[in-house]
């Protein structure tokens, strides 16, 4: 788990959880940023046997990332690097098993969707060139890897009306390209999330439907 420690100046912290049956126990929390860290995202890179953490630095607003190594019930981190130098809001990490790299989409100033590919080597990570997915002002963001098509589905909302839209992303080497934008909700939605379901071969997008008494809803997406 990664989180901001509200009792310690919002320091970025991580903790290892061990599951046994229906219970869970935790190791000792470890600081990965000794200042405010927000909008954390974490993903496991099985090709490197590491986890990658990305977050927003509270002081500079820049997007930062670090590689974590789990040993027993503890975790340690390599050097912190910027994945984007300008101000960001949310971010979402996705692992691409075909190219064996980490794909990171983020909402960066002027808060449009950007994307960048990260490659883990040892305890460090390097990033390719940043690409633009949408020039519109966006807010909420989620992304999932579609194992059936070897594509990434990014879903997001627009700041003006918060309608829900998506793009299919293709990774090649250390760069990514996006397909045509598709709208899945013409009304206001917030707090979106997504997950790939291997049995149905679809990506399911969850969201709060602000036009329907803030009910939680779900919609399947087929690539």
């Amino acid at each position: 788990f990664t989180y901001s420690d509200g009792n310690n100046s919002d320091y970025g912290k991580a903790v290892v959880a061990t599951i046994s049956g229906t219970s869970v126990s935790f190791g000792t929390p470890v600081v990965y940023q000794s200042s405010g860290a927000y909008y954390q995202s974490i993903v496991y890179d099985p090709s490197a046997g590491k986890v990658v953490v990305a977050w927003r630095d509270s002081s500079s607003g820049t997007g930062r990332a670090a590689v974590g190594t789990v040993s027993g019930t503890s975790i340690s981190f390599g050097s912190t690097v910027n994945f984007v130098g300008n101000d960001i809001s949310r971010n979402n990490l996705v692992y691409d098993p075909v190219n064996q790299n980490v794909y990171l989409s983020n909402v960066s100033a002027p808060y449009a969707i950007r994307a960048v590919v990260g490659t883990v080597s040892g305890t460090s990570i390097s990033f390719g060139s940043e690409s633009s997915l949408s020039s519109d002002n966006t807010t909420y963001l989620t992304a999932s890897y579609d194992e059936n098509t070897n594509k990434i589905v990014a879903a997001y909302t627009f700041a003006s009306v918060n309608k829900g839209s998506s793009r299919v992303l293709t990774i090649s080497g250390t760069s990514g390209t996006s397909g045509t934008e598709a709208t899945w909700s013409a009304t206001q939605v917030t707090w979106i999330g997504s997950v790939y379901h291997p049995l149905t071969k679809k990506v399911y997008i969850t969201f709060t439907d602000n036009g329907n008494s803030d009910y939680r809803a779900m919609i399947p997406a087929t690539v």
Side-chain angles (χ1 to χ4, degrees):
F1 292 92
T2 60
Y3 60 97
S4 298
D5 188 346
N7 289 325
N8 188 22
S9 303
D10 291 336
Y11 277 21
K13 288 188 175 182
V15 63
V16 176
T18 303
I19 297 173
S20 177
T22 57
S23 64
V24 60
S25 59
F26 295 93
T28 303
V30 172
V31 175
Y32 62 82
Q33 170 154 308
S34 300
S35 60
Y38 304 122
Y39 301 121
Q40 295 96 343
S41 179
I42 187 169
V43 71
Y44 178 66
D45 183 336
S47 62
K50 308 287 184 181
V51 297
V52 177
V53 179
W55 67 93
R56 180 185 187 272
D57 183 285
S58 65
S59 58
S60 64
T62 56
R64 314 198 79 184
V67 175
T69 303
V70 176
S71 177
T73 59
S74 64
I75 186 170
S76 59
F77 289 91
S79 301
T80 297
V81 298
N82 283 358
F83 62 82
V84 61
N86 54 324
D87 186 21
I88 74 158
S89 179
R90 293 166 175 83
N91 73 82
N92 197 115
L93 287 161
V94 179
Y95 176 71
D96 180 349
V98 173
N99 292 285
Q100 294 188 339
N101 51 28
V102 172
Y103 180 85
L104 194 149
S105 54
N106 69 92
V107 182
S108 56
Y111 300 118
I113 302 291
R114 303 284 194 271
V116 66
V117 176
T119 303
V120 175
S121 177
T123 59
S124 62
I125 185 169
S126 59
F127 291 95
S129 301
E130 193 176 329
S131 59
S132 176
L133 306 183
S134 174
S135 59
D136 295 304
N137 193 359
T138 52
T139 49
Y140 297 95
L141 170 70
T142 183
S144 292
Y145 184 79
D146 186 321
E147 300 172 5
N148 184 50
T149 59
N150 298 323
K151 306 287 185 180
I152 292 170
V153 177
Y156 44 91
T157 62
F158 292 103
S160 56
V161 293
N162 279 344
K163 69 177 183 179
S165 297
S166 289
R167 287 181 185 269
V168 174
L169 314 174
T170 303
I171 304 300
S172 178
T174 59
S175 63
T177 56
S178 62
T180 305
E181 187 174 78
T183 299
W184 46 269
S185 176
T187 58
Q188 185 179 19
V189 298
T190 52
W191 303 111
I192 61 175
S194 63
V195 68
Y196 176 72
H197 193 313
L199 296 183
T200 62
K201 298 180 180 179
K202 299 178 187 295
V203 171
Y204 288 83
I205 301 169
T206 64
F207 58 96
T208 297
D209 189 348
N210 302 123
N212 187 24
S213 303
D214 289 341
Y215 282 14
R216 287 296 292 179
M218 182 168 61
I219 188 169
T222 304
V223 177

